[in-house]
Amino acid sequence: MCGIVGFTGRENALPVLIKGLYSLEYRGYDSAGIAAFTKEGLRVVKTVGRIANLEAKIKEEHEDLTCTCGIGHTRWATHGGPSDRNSHPHLGGSDGKIAVVHNGIIENYKELRERLEAHGYVFQSETDTETVAHLVDYLHTGKQEDLAQTVLAAVSRLRGSYALGVVSMDNPEEIVAARRDNPLVIGLGNGENMIASDITAIIGRTKDYIILDDNEVAIVRPDSVVVMNEFGDRVEKKVQTVTWDMSAAEKGGYEHFMIKEIMEQPKAVAATVHPRVQNDSIVFEENGLTDDRLRDIENIHIIGCGSALHAGMVGKRVIESMCRIRCAAEVASEFRYENPIIGKKDLCIVISQSGETADTLAAMRLAKQAGAFTIAIVNVVSSTIAREADGVLYTWAGPEIAVATTKAYSAQLSALYLISVRIARVRGLISIGDERALSAELQRLPDCIEETLQCKKTMQRIATLYANRSSVFFLGRGLDYAAALEASLKLKEISYVHSEAYAAGELKHGTISLIEEGTLVVALATQPALFEKTVSNIREVVSRGAAVVLVTTDDFTGDESVCQHIVRLPKCLSEFSASLSIIPLQLLAYYIAVERSCDVDKPRNLAKSVTVE
């Protein structure tokens, strides 16, 4: 949530800041602003709405604005509603010598605000961030000439999470950055350096970067970057290099990032699966998932939020079926507060696209503290969850820009399949021949997804027929229920159509009262043993006037006449069917959103990376 970008160098920083902010749009925001050093002093321009509004305001009201150092921000309202005065950057002190941008939540801001007001500070906004700006000014003015030391002193007084970019008129070439439980990277250029909350904001200028760790502070100048720990000691940081180019974060001729990323799913799954299959066997040793550890597992906890949780629910069913280990898929925000029962021989699988999801990170830390072995399934290299987990299994889906995840979800599923097959093998539940056959099925999965994507035009046509529906219901049993939850979420996220997913057997327990003439019901039936039961549920909703779209397999044996539309999936092992059944339903959600003229890539009120509770 929210986005930070900062630049210090030799050329005009303003275009770099604006471009950087645009690259962070996918994170979600409702206002934007910049603070820039000019000959007249520190100038702040900010406005509610899109970055385009900020750009227009700069052109209309500040056309002479140029600078070689500045910071920018996209804000998602937390403390105080969307407004110009609540937008970042915030100025500190009556003379406005300090400017601050901030991602995160300052939990003790009220206490600090009261103390600062007692010292004569006047607050202009409702935000927790302005407290930081005034605190830095209070500690800096007449007390500490070095801005970095001031920031160190300030953050020691903060409770909560933060990524900070701070500038001061005392040194108009310098940006001081700090972080705790919120991502922040520093891009390393030639005669210029940047700070950003995401690599996408720096890749247009450089591919080299360092990652700040918790409680570190960085001094960023055009020709140098110095990082200190919380005690003020200098820290040497590993320089990393981005392995993908800017084209991976561009639309490439597609109308939206979401449809581009839907079409990239075969590649994402192949990149996740193929490196882990060697000589027809699944290999995890480098991830810390040794055969001995997998053999000794007593319980498995799968933790995630949103789509990551839904992937985990699929994984739970596959693991329990294939490995006969008790497995629970749990909401991260609930797990961390329910005093979970965790054993020292338990495995905790933590799933997060960004690797920065706040609740998931906290839940993982709790599991580690209790003695469980933690394995992270993440898409972002060197993210916080990846660095703190005992082992990491990267999904290699490439940058995912659309807020609603598609290819990262599919890659997460394939990672869970890999884990399932390997556990089953080392525990003697399947033979070497079985592992080879299952590995071959996993390697074939990208081709099956590619074939499934051929239903694109069919789903577009169905979307035009039902885009005006006010409610949609998704039904499924077993694995299909887990997949239905993700399908329902996709539709809600981007089209704003109310939708719910139900275990089909629950219909008679209340849900069926919501079915009326013209209600759209999407039924999933990919598990042969449950075909008859699912058809019975379909008949129940059809008899009450529902229109049914059935997503099923080529070998479906039920009565097809009760369905208005049937979408058939390629032949696939039933345990892996969720990877195929989700594809037409992602497309359905996408095309319904397009029909309803929604902002597909940036749905309202949502953010790509949720870094606050």
Side-chain angles (χ1 to χ4, degrees), residues 264-455:
E264 288 176 341
Q265 287 176 107
K267 181 181 177 182
V269 171
T272 301
V273 170
H274 292 334
R276 274 93 185 200
V277 179
Q278 299 175 17
N279 300 319
D280 299 322
S281 179
I282 293 167
V283 178
F284 279 139
E285 294 289 333
E286 79 280 7
N287 304 102
L289 288 178
T290 63
D291 288 353
D292 287 343
R293 179 167 280 120
L294 295 178
R295 195 176 292 112
D296 292 340
I297 293 170
E298 292 184 352
N299 299 285
I300 296 176
H301 309 271
I302 304 179
I303 298 170
C305 301
S307 295
L309 173 65
H310 296 156
M313 293 177 73
V314 173
K316 163 194 157 58
R317 285 164 167 80
V318 175
I319 288 171
E320 287 193 338
S321 173
M322 198 176 287
C323 308
R324 309 311 296 161
I325 300 175
R326 189 179 299 277
C327 182
E330 304 182 59
V331 181
S333 56
E334 293 294 311
F335 180 85
R336 61 182 295 204
Y337 293 118
E338 63 186 11
N339 193 20
I341 301 170
I342 306 169
K344 294 190 182 299
K345 288 190 175 182
D346 287 1
L347 173 66
C348 181
I349 302 174
V350 180
I351 309 174
S352 169
Q353 186 280 140
S354 67
E356 302 290 350
T357 311
D359 285 314
T360 307
L361 175 60
M364 184 187 76
R365 288 170 173 167
L366 177 64
K368 284 189 69 172
Q369 187 177 9
F373 184 84
T374 56
I375 184 78
I377 297 176
V378 298
N379 193 46
V380 179
V381 175
S382 298
S383 55
T384 304
I385 289 174
R387 285 181 285 125
E388 293 194 16
D390 296 312
V392 59
L393 203 163
Y394 286 115
T395 50
W396 305 123
E400 189 176 60
I401 307 302
V403 167
T405 184
T406 52
K407 65 176 180 175
Y409 170 81
S410 289
Q412 289 162 0
L413 288 181
S414 63
L416 288 163
Y417 299 153
L418 288 164
I419 292 172
S420 303
V421 174
R422 191 58 194 165
I423 292 176
R425 174 67 196 112
V426 300
R427 293 170 78 97
L429 295 169
I430 60 174
S431 67
I432 294 176
D434 292 332
E435 184 183 24
R436 286 174 178 166
L438 289 166
S439 297
E441 284 292 313
L442 284 173
Q443 289 182 300
R444 198 173 67 86
L445 199 54
D447 293 334
C448 293
I449 295 172
E450 189 77 60
E451 187 177 346
T452 307
L453 285 166
Q454 300 307 307
C455 72

Side-chain angles (χ1 to χ4, degrees), residues 94-125:
S94 57
D95 54 2
K97 287 178 61 178
I98 302 286
V100 172
V101 290
H102 164 229
N103 292 349
I105 296 287
I106 305 303
E107 294 172 357
N108 61 331
Y109 83 99
K110 285 187 178 179
E111 170 192 330
L112 293 170
R113 179 169 179 150
E114 289 170 0
R115 292 188 180 185
L116 289 164
E117 285 176 332
H119 284 279
Y121 283 86
V122 178
F123 284 74
Q124 306 297 324
S125 75

Side-chain angles (χ1 to χ4, degrees), residues 147-157 176 215-217 228-233:
L147 181 61
Q149 292 297 327
T150 303
V151 172
L152 274 173
V155 297
S156 70
R157 292 163 168 80
V176 174
N215 303 313
E216 290 181 339
V217 170
M228 300 181 296
N229 62 21
E230 58 193 305
F231 302 106
D233 301 323

Side-chain angles (χ1 to χ4, degrees), residues 222-243:
D223 296 310
S224 66
V225 173
V226 175
V227 179
M228 300 181 296
N229 62 21
E230 58 193 305
F231 302 106
D233 301 323
R234 186 164 179 163
V235 178
E236 294 300 322
K237 304 293 291 185
K238 177 184 177 183
V239 177
Q240 304 188 56
T241 303
V242 181
T243 56

Side-chain angles (χ1 to χ4, degrees), residues 25 27-32 49-51 74-76 602 606:
E25 278 195 302
R27 295 173 66 89
Y29 69 105
D30 48 39
S31 60
R50 295 299 188 192
I51 296 165
T74 52
R75 174 181 185 257
W76 201 244
K602 298 183 286 293
L606 296 180

